[in-house]
Amino acid sequence: MSRTPQGAARAAPVGHPAALALAGCLALAVAIGIGRFVYTPILPYMTTGLGLGKSEAGLIASANFLGYLLGALAAAWRPVPGDARLWLLGALVASAATTGAMGLTEDLGAFLALRFANGALAALVMVLASSLTMDRLAAAGRAVWAAGIYAGVGVGIALSSLAVPAAALSAGDSQGPWLICGALSLALAIPVLLLLPGRRRPAPARTTAEAGGSEEGFGRFALAYGLFGFGYVITATFISDMVRADPALQPAENIVWLCVGLAAAPSVAFWGWAGQRWSNERAFASACLVEAFAVLLSVLGGGVWPVLLAAALLGGTFMGLTALGLVNARRLSIGDPRRNLALITAAFGLGQMIGPALAGLLHDWTGSYLVPSLLAATALAAAAALAAR
């Protein structure tokens, strides 16, 4: 009978690739697809029922993104102590709780606190779910399954886009959608416990020779990723509000966010294929340009079909860009990839924190989303130029 050599670490099961991909998919559906992005389809109900101004709406969105930024910085500064799997599961339950609790208050300060906490939890889930599942898939020789993980954001968006209008009892009812989406998040979080195996031995640190880049290259790419965060988030936050505010576009109100989610779910696989064929950087630059066109189309299209096309192009790029950025950060990592994953998530968080607050202020000043959308498209073009270098 064979024995484990004395002093050798015993690795726990890596897990089946399909189960790992599904666990990551559900985790991101809960914390990102629903927890973070459900604010977009619920926002028109809040502005109608609670009388929120655009500046207040942008402030609430930015509170969420500030939490995301600080959560990512905390993950970069020091890894979570103990079992990362238990931290992930706890963060998913807390994310569901902070989502549902939004339906139990009408106080602006409470909204800011809850969305801030939800954003910090979303960053923690993004870093932990990415590192836990991607490392294990790589160890099993199934890194291609990572596309299934990031499809979870699109799945969560699609589910919440259906749940919100179904749960709303009136045009101004935001309480029902928040409570139903909190319960939905909790239901989706429970299977992660069963699908994600327990602790296993960490992967060995990568050396400089094994990492595919330099500190300068990573810094430039992190800047591009931050500009992408600013460029996508204005449209992603306010597109449902844009549609409700324009009588000509109102027939698309209940399906515009569904278009985003349905396009986002399969887009990760496409952009992953493009990254392998063209390189991650060139695929990233191409997706940024497509997304810049979507942002412009959302404010210049002038009809239902153009705005639905803009929503599909937004959904078809923003999660692909997110996945390309995280995969490239891991490729450029020396040592524990969790640090680079957290740093690039922080750069993204900074960009998306600035976007909604600035857009709300510019809307109140100019009376439309045209100027902030032009700034967003410019940021995406700059991100494409940086990544293409």
Side-chain angles (χ1 to χ4, degrees), residues 194-354:
L194 304 175
L195 293 167
L196 191 62
R199 184 196 303 265
R200 76 176 187 91
R201 186 176 59 195
R206 305 175 78 207
T207 65
T208 305
E210 292 170 326
S214 64
E215 289 295 326
E216 179 185 356
F218 175 75
R220 186 168 58 246
F221 190 76
L223 177 58
Y225 203 62
L227 288 170
F228 151 57
F230 175 86
Y232 98 94
V233 77
I234 292 171
T235 308
T237 300
F238 293 107
I239 189 168
S240 292
D241 196 56
M242 293 178 194
V243 170
R244 175 171 283 197
D246 188 339
L249 301 180
Q250 285 177 359
E253 181 181 346
N254 289 335
I255 59 173
V256 66
W257 196 238
L258 178 62
C259 287
V260 174
L262 292 178
S267 69
V268 180
F270 170 77
W271 288 111
W273 169 84
Q276 292 178 341
R277 187 173 179 86
W278 306 335
S279 83
N280 287 330
E281 290 86 352
R282 290 177 181 175
F284 187 93
S286 300
C288 280
L289 293 177
V290 173
E291 190 163 294
F293 174 73
V295 169
L296 293 176
L297 189 62
S298 70
V299 290
L300 299 175
V304 169
W305 290 109
V307 82
L308 291 179
L309 176 59
L313 292 176
L314 175 70
T317 50
F318 88 93
M319 272 316 300
L321 284 162
T322 301
L324 285 170
L326 293 171
V327 168
N328 208 43
R330 188 178 186 279
R331 182 181 67 84
L332 295 171
S333 298
I334 299 170
D336 185 354
R338 196 176 303 174
R339 178 178 177 274
N340 270 9
L341 288 171
L343 287 174
I344 204 168
T345 301
F348 177 82
L350 179 61
Q352 70 173 4
M353 179 191 71
I354 296 170

Side-chain angles (χ1 to χ4, degrees), residues 165-177:
L169 299 177
S170 67
D173 175 26
S174 59
Q175 181 184 45

Side-chain angles (χ1 to χ4, degrees), residues 2 40 51 53 70 82 125 148 157 169 171 179 189 261 273 275 286 343 362-363 376:
S2 62
T40 298
L70 296 181
V125 170
I157 288 174
L169 299 177
L179 292 174
W273 169 84
S286 300
L343 287 174
L362 289 174
H363 179 281

Side-chain angles (χ1 to χ4, degrees), residues 55-283:
S55 296
E56 291 174 318
L59 188 62
I60 293 171
S62 289
N64 183 259
F65 299 139
L66 175 60
Y68 192 86
L69 168 64
L70 296 181
L73 289 174
W77 176 58
R78 177 175 295 178
V80 295
D83 190 344
R85 173 177 171 269
L86 293 180
W87 276 93
L88 174 62
L89 297 173
L92 290 173
V93 173
S95 177
T98 55
T99 297
M102 287 286 290
L104 302 177
T105 182
E106 296 183 358
D107 180 68
L108 178 60
F111 287 151
L112 294 174
L114 287 169
R115 294 306 288 164
F116 174 85
N118 186 274
L121 292 164
L124 182 61
V125 170
M126 175 64 87
V127 172
L128 291 178
S130 297
S131 61
L132 284 171
T133 54
M134 287 172 65
D135 285 352
R136 296 176 188 211
L137 289 172
R142 295 290 188 273
V144 68
W145 286 73
I149 300 169
Y150 298 107
V153 176
V155 170
I157 288 174
L159 288 174
S160 63
S161 73
L162 297 172
V164 167
L169 299 177
S170 67
D173 175 26
S174 59
Q175 181 184 45
W178 281 118
L179 292 174
I180 290 298
C181 288
L184 177 62
S185 296
L186 184 60
L188 294 176
I190 292 172
V192 179
L193 176 67
L194 304 175
L195 293 167
L196 191 62
R199 184 196 303 265
R200 76 176 187 91
R201 186 176 59 195
R206 305 175 78 207
T207 65
T208 305
E210 292 170 326
S214 64
E215 289 295 326
E216 179 185 356
F218 175 75
R220 186 168 58 246
F221 190 76
L223 177 58
Y225 203 62
L227 288 170
F228 151 57
F230 175 86
Y232 98 94
V233 77
I234 292 171
T235 308
T237 300
F238 293 107
I239 189 168
S240 292
D241 196 56
M242 293 178 194
V243 170
R244 175 171 283 197
D246 188 339
L249 301 180
Q250 285 177 359
E253 181 181 346
N254 289 335
I255 59 173
V256 66
W257 196 238
L258 178 62
C259 287
V260 174
L262 292 178
S267 69
V268 180
F270 170 77
W271 288 111
W273 169 84
Q276 292 178 341
R277 187 173 179 86
W278 306 335
S279 83
N280 287 330
E281 290 86 352
R282 290 177 181 175

